[in-house]
Amino acid sequence: MRRMKSKITIVILFISFALLCAFFIDGTKTTLLAKTYKNYEALKIFSDVLTIIQKNYVEEIDLKSLVYNAIKGMVANLDPHSAFMPPETYKELQVETKGTFGGLGLEITTKDGVLTVVTPIEDTPADRAGIKPGDKIIKIENEFTRDMSLMDAVKKMRGTPGTKVKITIVHEGFKEPKEYTLTRAIIKIKSVKYKRVEEQYGYIRITQFQEDTTKEFKNALKELESGKQPVKGLVLDLRRDPGGLLDQAVNVSDEFLDSGLIVSTEGRIESQRMKFYAKKNNERRDYPLIVLVNAGSASGSEIVAGALQDHGRAVVVGTQTFGKGTVQTIIPLNDGSGLRLTTAKYYTPNHRSIQEKGITPDIIVEDKSPVESPTGEKPQYIREKDLMNHFRGEVPAPEEKSKEDKESKKAPFAIKADSEDPPLDTAIQILKNWDTFKKTYKTSEKTS
């Protein structure tokens, strides 16, 4: 125990020495000395607590476990999207960006300390079982999830395909929690899906921005554009797309823009201040474009919708998006663990911040939500503003807010009551009546 305490003391002294060196190099003596002293005091408290636990706790605990747990708590309290990932979890993240992993197919977050479903991924065990956005996961394998970290919850739900896992759900409108026993499966997220609609119109859905999204997206465009009849309009469906890789979102936007800013990021350090511009395309795509969004559209999908909206290249149809306007950087650590840290905020070409508010559609059309509860209540989507410790959005000037409030309009065409997909049907009707629509509705002004 003395050896352990001496090791911790040496670490504290080393850090203090480094800070003092920085003090002498910088030259701002009074300020930095005070800061150094405060840092030392904080580290000293941390050292004391570690030592006390090691010496007095009822059972012996591995020091590495204590440090990992301390880091998890420290990072988790920064914001909803920063997280510390032990080696095993970090490896799973690397697998996930490639689009294949074993699990249930749930996008989850934490709301008021409770695991909450953001959205089930299409055609996965969770989706087929009928789990809905807003459902609360109160137990995983009979273990209560209150204050359980997202990483720990993901780890418990993922596993070998074919094995079962029991989760207990509280669904809006039901009097009692409901247990689901789901069989884990290979979750192969197909990033891009496409089809022709009524022969003349193209439809492309992006479920998530992964490593191969740009390649798959270009192939989809090529297939649609090589049909017997020319494409007279395209619907880009980004509903329930939680985002993913920033570069892929930029590349997708670039397919419809020949110049101008796509997105900019602003952080505390120079390397986090970046601007991404469109490049001249070999293929000319000047047909009308409709982008579909909803509360499940987040991050990368908001970047695409915001860029195309600001440039006046697309009409955005649907409902207010999720509102995640921050960038996370994945930082590998020496022991194989990783740190996902919020390092910047992103802005649309018109320098609109998406954080907390999201993208406001040009045309408001609600999705058709299946009614699952006895009371007839619809699933409640979770948005960024509902998450604990989220960054506050930037408040626009009164005249800008007034303009934004007036921009959205109701659907310009009557959609049949039995429509299975009102936003998509609205998009097709707009494309069919494009010339009339252009005269009646204005899209956003183009940005250089």
Side-chain angles (χ1 to χ4, degrees):
M1 185 50 62
R2 287 180 180 175
R3 179 186 292 180
M4 181 63 66
K5 187 171 183 179
S6 62
K7 281 183 179 180
I8 295 171
T9 304
I10 290 171
V11 171
I12 299 299
L13 290 173
F14 178 78
I15 294 172
S16 300
F17 175 73
L19 290 170
L20 285 170
C21 287
F23 150 66
F24 283 116
I25 292 170
D26 184 75
T28 55
K29 296 181 180 180
T30 305
T31 302
L32 193 51
L33 184 59
K35 187 176 181 180
T36 302
Y37 179 76
K38 286 182 179 178
N39 288 342
Y40 175 80
E41 284 295 300
L43 290 169
K44 179 69 166 57
I45 293 171
F46 182 73
S47 167
D48 289 345
V49 172
L50 276 178
T51 303
I52 291 168
I53 292 173
Q54 287 277 60
K55 183 179 179 180
N56 297 286
Y57 190 66
V58 64
E59 293 180 352
E60 187 174 349
I61 300 179
D62 176 59
L63 178 61
K64 190 171 186 178
S65 297
L66 283 174
V67 173
Y68 271 17
N69 288 333
I71 297 173
K72 283 181 184 179
M74 174 174 63
V75 178
N77 279 284
L78 294 175
D79 67 86
H81 309 294
S82 294
F84 171 72
M85 297 169 285
E88 186 177 340
T89 306
Y90 182 46
K91 286 180 183 177
E92 287 181 1
L93 176 72
Q94 292 171 308
V95 170
E96 184 175 342
T97 59
K98 297 181 185 297
T100 305
F101 52 91
L104 304 180
L106 284 172
E107 292 284 344
I108 59 174
T109 188
T110 302
K111 182 183 179 184
D112 300 327
V114 180
L115 286 178
T116 306
V117 176
V118 175
T119 184
I121 299 170
E122 288 182 16
D123 197 27
T124 61
D127 185 41
R128 290 190 289 269
I131 294 175
K132 303 298 178 186
D135 283 353
K136 294 175 174 56
I137 305 173
I138 61 171
K139 289 183 185 179
I140 302 175
E141 291 292 358
N142 295 321
E143 181 180 346
F144 283 100
T145 61
R146 182 78 186 181
D147 296 324
M148 181 184 289
S149 74
L150 287 176
M151 291 300 174
D152 287 341
V154 168
K155 185 177 178 181
K156 290 178 184 298
M157 286 189 285
R158 287 188 182 171
T160 306
T163 58
K164 296 183 183 297
V165 59
K166 183 170 67 176
I167 60 176
T168 306
I169 297 285
V170 172
H171 183 77
E172 194 73 32
F174 280 106
K175 294 180 179 180
E176 297 179 354
K178 183 178 179 180
E179 288 187 355
Y180 292 81
T181 299
L182 304 179
T183 302
R184 296 182 179 97
I186 290 290
I187 307 299
K188 172 61 179 172
I189 302 175
K190 187 172 176 57
S191 180
V192 176
K193 303 175 181 179
Y194 65 95
K195 64 181 179 180
R196 279 262 187 164
V197 180
E198 299 186 13
E199 296 301 319
Q200 296 177 311
Y201 306 103
Y203 170 89
I204 300 180
R205 167 152 171 71
I206 300 179
T207 59
Q208 191 172 344
F209 292 94
Q210 301 167 356
E211 286 183 354
D212 294 330
T213 296
T214 300
K215 180 181 177 181
E216 292 178 16
F217 187 70
K218 287 182 176 180
N219 288 339
L221 285 172
K222 186 177 179 180
E223 286 293 322
L224 290 171
E225 292 168 351
S226 63
K228 292 181 180 180
Q229 296 189 44
V231 174
K232 296 181 68 174
L234 179 70
V235 178
L236 176 57
D237 192 348
L238 301 178
R239 290 174 294 177
R240 292 172 60 186
D241 179 342
L245 301 177
L246 173 63
D247 64 322
Q248 301 297 302
V250 169
N251 293 341
V252 167
S253 304
D254 197 8
E255 287 299 311
F256 302 103
L257 301 171
D258 284 328
S259 63
L261 184 66
I262 293 176
V263 65
S264 61
T265 64
E266 298 179 11
R268 288 174 61 199
I269 60 177
E270 188 64 33
S271 63
Q272 299 297 343
R273 298 167 197 157
M274 297 180 287
K275 292 185 177 182
F276 299 86
Y277 290 92
K279 303 179 291 295
K280 183 90 175 161
N281 287 303
N282 295 326
E283 300 291 335
R284 184 173 178 81
R285 296 190 172 99
D286 52 5
Y287 43 71
L289 178 63
I290 310 292
V291 177
L292 301 183
V293 296
N294 66 2
S297 306
S299 193
S301 52
E302 292 175 294
I303 288 174
V304 175
L308 298 177
Q309 186 182 57
D310 278 6
H311 280 277
R313 181 59 186 88
V315 176
V316 180
V317 174
T319 55
Q320 200 79 9
T321 61
F322 185 83
K324 180 181 177 292
T326 56
V327 179
Q328 282 68 47
T329 302
I330 306 298
I331 304 168
L333 302 175
N334 290 335
D335 66 343
S337 58
L339 182 64
R340 184 173 66 199
L341 190 67
T342 299
T343 54
K345 298 178 181 179
Y346 70 76
Y347 297 83
T348 72
N350 285 347
H351 206 261
R352 290 186 293 157
S353 171
I354 305 305
Q355 181 60 25
E356 193 177 32
K357 179 186 176 183
I359 294 289
T360 301
D362 299 301
I363 306 294
I364 298 293
V365 184
E366 295 279 349
D367 282 305
K368 181 179 180 180
S369 300
V371 177
E372 290 286 333
S373 70
T375 59
E377 296 182 45
K378 295 181 179 180
Q380 298 297 310
Y381 276 102
I382 301 297
R383 288 183 167 88
E384 177 78 8
K385 62 184 177 62
D386 300 316
L387 306 182
M388 190 178 295
N389 297 329
H390 72 272
F391 285 104
R392 297 295 176 186
E394 296 175 16
V395 180
E399 62 273 13
E400 292 178 355
K401 188 176 188 304
S402 176
K403 181 182 177 182
E404 286 178 354
D405 291 342
K406 293 178 182 178
E407 280 180 351
S408 291
K409 304 174 179 67
K410 291 184 179 180
F413 304 103
I415 302 300
K416 293 180 181 179
D418 61 351
S419 170
E420 289 299 316
D421 194 341
L424 177 58
D425 289 346
T426 299
I428 296 301
Q429 289 299 319
I430 290 174
L431 293 176
K432 285 181 175 180
N433 299 273
W434 184 250
D435 291 336
T436 303
F437 176 83
K438 280 195 303 182
K439 294 175 184 177
T440 310
Y441 290 83
K442 271 190 172 184
T443 55
S444 305
E445 294 181 3
K446 185 171 181 178
T447 303
S448 60

